Amino acid sequence: MKEKIEQMCNQAKEKIAEVKKSNELQELKIKYLGKKGEITSILRGMSELKPEERPAIGSLVNKVRDKLEELIKEKENEFKQKEIQEKLEKEKIDITLPSTKIKRGSKHPINRIIEEIEDLFVSMGYDVVAGPELETDEFCFERLNLPKGHPARDMQDSFYITNEYLLRTQTSAVQARTMLAKKGIEPIRMLCTGKTYRREDDATHSHQFNQVEGLVIDKKENNVSLADLKGTLEVFVRKLIGDNLDLRFRPSYFPFTEPSYEVDVTCFKCGGKGCALCKKTGWIEVLGAGIVHPNVLKINGYNPEEYGGFAFGTGIDRLAMFKYAIPDMRYLYANDVRFLNQFDRRDID
Amino acid sequence: MKLSKNFVKDYVDIDVDLKTLAEDMTRVGNEYDSAEKLINATNLVIGKVIECKEHLDSDHLHVCKVDVGNEVLNIVCGAPNVRENLKVIVALVGAELPGNVKIKKGEIRGQESNGMICSIAELGLESKFLKEEDKAGICELGEDAIVGEDPIKYLGLDDEVIDFELTANRGDLLSILGMAYEIGAIYNKQVKEIDLSYKENGKDINDEFNIDIQTDNCSLFLAKKVENLEIKESPTFIKNRLIASGIRPINNVVDISNYVMLETGQPLHFYDADRLGNKLIVRMAHNNEKLTTLDNIERELDENDIVIADAEKPIGLAGVMGGLTTEVENDTKNIIIESAKFDSVKVRKTSKKILRSEASNRFEKGIDPNRTYMAIKRACNLLEKYAKGTVKTGIVAYDKTDKNPKNIEIEFKNINDVLGTSISNEEIIDVFKRLGFKTQEKEKSVVVEVPTRRLDISIKEDLIEEVSRIYGVDNIQGKLPKVEMKRGSYNKVERDIRNRMIALGLNETLTYVLINEAESHKYTKDDFEELRLLDPLTEERNTLRYSLIPSLMKTYEYNKARNIQDISIFELGKGFYKKGEEYGENLKLCCLMTGEYNIGIHNRKKVDFYIIKGIVEEVLNYLGYENRYSFIKPKSMPEEFHTGQTAEISVNNDIVGIIGKLHPEVVKDDVYIFEINIDKLLTKKVGKMKYKEISKFPSIKKDLSVIVDKDVTCEQIQKVMKNSGGSLLVNIEAFDLYQDKIIGQNKKSITYSLEFRDDKRTLVDEEVNEKMNNIIQDVEKKLNAEIRK
């Protein structure tokens, strides 16, 4: 009996070692370990043994069974590993082939700058307000202290549709609308961005361009002053154009502010040394700003004795050109797909 | 305004160089274009021709020996007027002349030449200032010129000029005196008095001459008579100062009128008294009235032009230009001087229509009435001095002006509050003193007497500006406003739409709003009146767009012309309309796609209707309109769209946009477009985003292939399925479309996956099979469909 078991064991070991295919292994597993397999039949035959022989043989059979189970398991693992290896080998690809392009769009540089400016001022508590582009003479001019006949509103400079309606020449038109909406009592911190139109078209002027306009109005006792305007514009210029730039407030004249200033910034091309861009002055005119004219307050429902504030505005196109090193203003409006495609990633902070 | 430094130095001392002066003026608000020497040439010296021989190899050249003081130079000269003993301007070797001319040692036809003998033209004066002899040959200096010295200084052309770009409110700076006050304020210098002295002679002018002012557009009119004038060339300093100021010298009398205008800012007009009657009338012109102006051009006038007239006809266009008939000529002996103030708006209109002149520029900006008096006196002073004129006693005057200075009281605190500063009372008063304003200090405030020359100052805020200008904004420390904290806000939905479109792979464009009139009604059936510009810049862009489609089509054409095939672009912008009496604008989202959408070697895909439809759905779903929209076959569609591939986009049963392929007659390529009126869309309500319980019970999915006629729509089939499937049918998804000859040319097969579920219990197969049978029966019956097995 003992010999018979050992012989069966050796035979099984040989066969397991030789087996090449997974299904053959399964057949061997059934042949030896299955319900009707050889081990089972040996165990069944135990009853024919003498009782004193039984424990020794029983323990031998168990040992053999454990051994065979172990070997089969090992072999199974081997086959599984092989199979996986084959699958991996089969699925090998050229990883340098081009990717499937997940089409990514792009944001127009002008709107990038607009969003950046809006975010900056929203963070300082400004409300971004929109106004109509098809404006009335009243809001574009009259309510900004530019009565009819004023030299600053020459007919040639504006696109009129009728005597009353025109394409807004400046985002300042939104100042008056905001003041009226706030009914002469609420403090204002507003920003307006958007398209503006003037009747001129050349290498440096597009008849359609973009502006940003800011307006702060508060009670006199809160002292919204020229110093505050200066500080605000310092933040604006340094965040948007460059950390180390200086500002120069040059007194100027706008009908809707008094005092009025044109604000120059250190030439961002030459750093103030003087170059073609700054016409050798070292400065580039960037903003117009000032203290809101009492007439503008009065016309739009705020008592100039009780309220005061500042306003500022600037063109966005030139900022975009500078920020993205765009050499020609016309590129902004040509919408060449090869141009647009370049603005397809996030801006660095 | 070109400022001659020599000229203004008559009235204020200047200790700084030109560049500093220009920069300092800029800091107080007076920008400049250029600041340069009048003559920009180096290494010039006065020389004397001591020998002049003809060049042997030339018919016009001369070989000269020129004494330049420390040496004698051999110079070849081609000018016809070069001769021995002539004093000339010599550009030495190394000299740089305007126009990038550099003088080098040279040889001209075998003769050594060590310099150049110059003409005035070669020194860079504009040709309008040159006389015939200046153009014909070298400049002949006088006997008194000293050899070896600076010829520019000798000629009095050693001046420097700043060309200012002045702001519209500073008419006072269109005068040397105004500039002197401004410079005096910067450097704290006193402005010197102008000499207005002259002798009056004979009978009063009022006995023989009078004026009749018939219009309110003339508020001040003065006339004086000067007799026995001697007309000749002006003294050098007058000529040179006019040249430095950009005005061409004519003769002493005409030059004086310009000189006084430059000094005082008050334009004058001189009439030849002997060709004028004894009366001047100021009135509005009649329509179609004619006048020949000084430049010999006949002008047609209208009732908005102010004219100076005699009894019959206009003889001058007030504030703009005089008439030809009474012009001062070389034989003029006696003149009438006009010094007047005309309405600035009227002058502006006339000059815009007819001609802009130095005079009109000043009238437009406003005139100080005190200067009107000053100028006429100054003219008498100079005419007496430089034209031997005798000034007749008296003045003819019409005056409705207020010539008193304005008094404005302002609190010191007010100034510091607005500027955000703590400037002391003394410093503030010092600013006003520097500006030449008289002050009267009170406990908390100061009363400032503003001279009439400063027409731009009328309210307190103007005085604050003066303090900030002269004190210097650079000296004000910037800070941020102290205001109540609050959250800022912006239009988030517009950005979300933009970012969504970009995430879907589209390029954002920014196109022009102005299009051609012919395009304005294209791509739409909407009823509106187009908005045409009254005065367009070009006819190509004469109308406001209603739809963004023409703008994007232009962009498509632009790119197509550059051989770019794959275009997926969008724009979020305004479209404009007039409807009845209402003018309005809407925010629109427009998208154009053509070529391939996904680019790459693995899955190239041509854009088709379903891709752009997918973009629309994606945006609408993102905005929360899922299950609230549908694509409807239009009852009538714009003719630019493909009749078989166009739909209206309907949200909550209201049309908000259009989607489709463009008609092959409009464009050969397969171009797909959609446009949605975002303003209208956003009025449609959206439910809040809310969690829905996930069903605990499994669903059963069944596939069903339906063969129908080609014209039966997917939507129709789904509707039938939905009706007969009832509430257990929770989802219908079409996942395969099949068309071939076997099922028939006019047929199509769509395969659906139908999902059944009950959220309260587990469904059993039998009830699902029963539902499926119902569905099959219904589609067979209602849609004449056949089920593919």
Side-chain angles (χ1 to χ4, degrees), chain A residues 98 125 154 189 230 258 261, chain B residues 348 465 468 476 484 486 602:
Chain A
D154 270 352
R189 249 181 292 171
K230 202 176 168 188
E258 185 68 42
Y261 303 90
Chain B
R348 189 172 136 254
E465 171 158 47
S468 91
I476 297 174
E484 214 173 290
K486 75 168 184 69
H602 310 291

Side-chain angles (χ1 to χ4, degrees), chain B residues 339-431:
Chain B
S339 184
K341 186 169 155 63
F342 303 108
D343 181 70
S344 50
V345 175
K346 283 278 184 295
V347 172
R348 189 172 136 254
K349 280 201 174 136
T350 300
S351 71
K352 253 180 73 182
K353 185 180 65 181
I354 292 179
L355 162 95
R356 296 203 101 109
S357 62
E358 292 278 350
S360 70
N361 187 24
R362 286 170 172 81
F363 281 115
E364 284 173 29
K365 304 260 158 66
I367 297 281
D368 166 13
N370 283 316
R371 288 278 174 87
T372 311
Y373 285 88
M374 178 196 278
I376 202 163
K377 288 180 196 159
R378 177 63 171 168
C380 292
N381 166 280
L382 293 176
L383 287 167
E384 185 183 81
K385 216 187 275 180
Y386 299 109
K388 299 195 173 153
T390 51
V391 181
K392 211 169 165 58
T393 303
I395 187 163
V396 180
Y398 167 91
D399 190 351
K400 296 276 177 217
T401 60
D402 175 11
K403 289 174 296 301
N404 294 313
K406 270 164 288 192
N407 284 304
I408 305 173
E409 181 170 358
I410 185 165
E411 284 186 28
F412 294 111
K413 183 176 180 302
N414 188 356
I415 296 173
N416 279 316
D417 281 351
V418 171
L419 297 181
T421 50
S422 45
I423 306 172
S424 71
N425 297 2
E426 291 72 37
E427 281 175 292
I428 288 170
I429 286 175
D430 180 56
V431 165

